[in-house]
Amino acid sequence: GRYLDFHRTLMITRSRLSQDWVMTLAEGIGLDVEKLKQDMGSTEVTQQIGANLDLARQLGIRGTPAFIIDGKVFPGALDPNRLKQLVNDARKS
C-alpha cells in the first residue's frame, strides 16, 4: 500500500541506486524491508518485469523515458510543449 510513496522517493533520489540504497530508502518511508526483498524476488514480479522487458525490446525501446503516442515510439525526454502537441495531434486523429 505504499507504492506511490516509494516510487516518488526513488524518482526524486539523485544518488546512484544500489540495492542497499533502495532498501535504506524503503526503510526510511516505513516499508518492511524483509517483505520488500521477498516480494522483489517473487515469481509474479520477475515474470512481470520479464514481460515488460520483452515488450520494450519488441518496440525498440532501450531506455527511459520513452513515449508511445498514436502508435509511434518517441525515445528520450520530450520538451513539454512537443509532448502536448503530439498528444493533441493524436487526439484529433
Side-chain angles (χ1 to χ4, degrees):
R2 304 290 310 271
Y3 173 80
L4 286 177
D5 293 336
F6 191 40
H7 177 77
R8 285 186 193 109
T9 300
L10 291 172
M11 292 297 106
I12 64 171
T13 300
R14 296 293 173 214
S15 303
R16 185 169 184 88
L17 295 176
S18 65
Q19 185 164 341
D20 288 340
W21 185 235
V22 167
M23 295 306 150
T24 299
L25 294 171
E27 187 174 36
I29 64 164
L31 288 179
D32 178 341
V33 171
E34 291 308 312
K35 174 91 168 90
L36 176 61
K37 287 179 184 178
Q38 181 181 5
D39 291 346
M40 287 172 63
S42 73
T43 301
E44 180 183 357
V45 169
T46 55
Q47 286 178 345
Q48 185 63 59
I49 291 170
N52 290 348
L53 287 171
D54 288 344
L55 179 58
R57 283 186 197 106
Q58 290 171 20
L59 296 171
I61 297 171
R62 292 187 284 268
T64 58
F67 300 90
I68 301 171
I69 303 168
D70 201 22
K72 298 178 192 104
V73 176
F74 297 87
L78 292 175
D79 174 80
N81 291 325
R82 174 80 171 127
L83 180 57
K84 286 177 190 176
Q85 185 61 51
L86 290 167
V87 170
N88 286 335
D89 291 348
R91 287 179 174 161
K92 291 176 187 173
S93 64

